[in-house]
């Protein structure tokens, strides 16, 4: 579990929450299971900003990110930007850990730049419907401003 502890230390050194959130929005998660495996979930926004980042990665790492193995079932967030859109790593290799670090920084920068909307206010009954754009994220329900959840 040397890699697990080193990864947690890296998070702390970079002032990244081990709880998986930054400014109330998810970057992912890291945990260790009872059977001794450790897991990293990386939240990734699959938008136009991702391609330049991936272009510097090996073909295997690009495929890993594009596979999107993470949970995507909430149905209330914007496709490709949801907090649960991403991929999971189990007992990652050194190359995968380095990729995870770069993508976590990428996610945090996206949060800082306001590219990750908080869309949990979209009602499940309205999922899949076309919603008028709002001033905040240009895609979500205009009521978000009144609800102050953006």
């Amino acid at each position: 579990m040397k890699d697990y502890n080193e990864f947690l230390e890296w998070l702390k050194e970079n002032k990244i929450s081990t709880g998986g959130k930054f400014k109330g929005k998810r970057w992912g998660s890291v945990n260790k299971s009872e059977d001794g495996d450790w897991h990293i979930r990386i939240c990734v926004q699959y938008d136009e900003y991702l391609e330049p980042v991936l272009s510097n990665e090996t073909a295997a790492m690009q495929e890993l990110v594009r596979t999107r193995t993470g949970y995507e079932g909430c149905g209330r967030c914007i496709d490709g930007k949801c907090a649960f859109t991403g991929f999971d790593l189990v007992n990652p290799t050194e190359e995968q850990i380095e990729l995870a670090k770069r993508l976590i920084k990428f996610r945090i920068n996206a949060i800082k730049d306001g590219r990750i909307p908080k869309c949990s206010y979209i009602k499940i009954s309205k999922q899949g419907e076309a919603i008028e754009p709002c001033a905040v994220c240009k895609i979500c329900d205009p009521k978000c401003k009144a609800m102050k959840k953006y």
Side-chain angles (χ1 to χ4, degrees):
M1 287 301 109
K2 177 183 168 197
D3 290 335
Y4 173 75
N5 292 329
E6 287 176 1
F7 189 76
L8 290 180
E9 194 58 40
W10 177 85
L11 290 172
K12 290 176 188 173
E13 287 171 6
N14 286 276
K15 298 180 177 150
I16 300 171
S17 164
T18 56
K21 289 192 176 183
F22 181 81
K23 293 190 176 187
K25 297 178 182 177
R26 296 199 55 87
W27 62 258
S29 63
V30 59
N31 59 59
K32 190 163 50 168
S33 63
E34 291 177 11
D35 60 4
D37 291 336
W38 70 286
H39 307 259
I40 304 174
R41 169 170 285 159
I42 307 298
C43 297
V44 178
Q45 65 284 359
Y46 291 82
D47 58 14
E48 66 273 14
Y49 299 97
L50 181 61
E51 284 308 313
V53 173
L54 286 184
S55 67
N56 297 322
E57 302 296 335
T58 65
M61 293 299 103
Q62 288 181 29
E63 182 61 26
L64 179 68
V65 174
R66 288 190 177 108
T67 303
R68 290 170 69 158
T69 59
Y71 171 75
E72 298 185 47
C74 76
R76 295 189 284 179
C77 290
I78 297 169
D79 182 47
K81 294 186 181 182
C82 175
F84 294 101
T85 302
F87 65 99
D88 297 322
L89 300 170
V90 179
N91 297 324
T93 65
E94 191 63 38
E95 183 181 20
Q96 291 172 340
I97 292 169
E98 293 306 313
L99 172 68
K101 290 175 181 178
R102 288 189 292 278
L103 290 176
I104 290 167
K105 287 183 177 182
F106 173 69
R107 178 71 172 191
I108 287 173
N109 286 333
I111 293 168
K112 287 178 181 176
D113 293 344
R115 294 192 331 256
I116 308 298
K118 184 174 181 180
C119 294
S120 60
Y121 53 82
I122 298 173
K123 294 179 182 177
I124 292 175
S125 63
K126 294 198 179 264
Q127 67 186 8
E129 291 181 19
I131 299 171
E132 293 182 32
C134 73
V136 178
C137 60
K138 311 291 188 247
I139 296 174
C140 300
D141 189 338
K143 296 175 187 160
C144 71
K145 203 166 195 172
M147 298 173 74
K148 295 184 170 49
K149 291 191 175 186
Y150 53 90

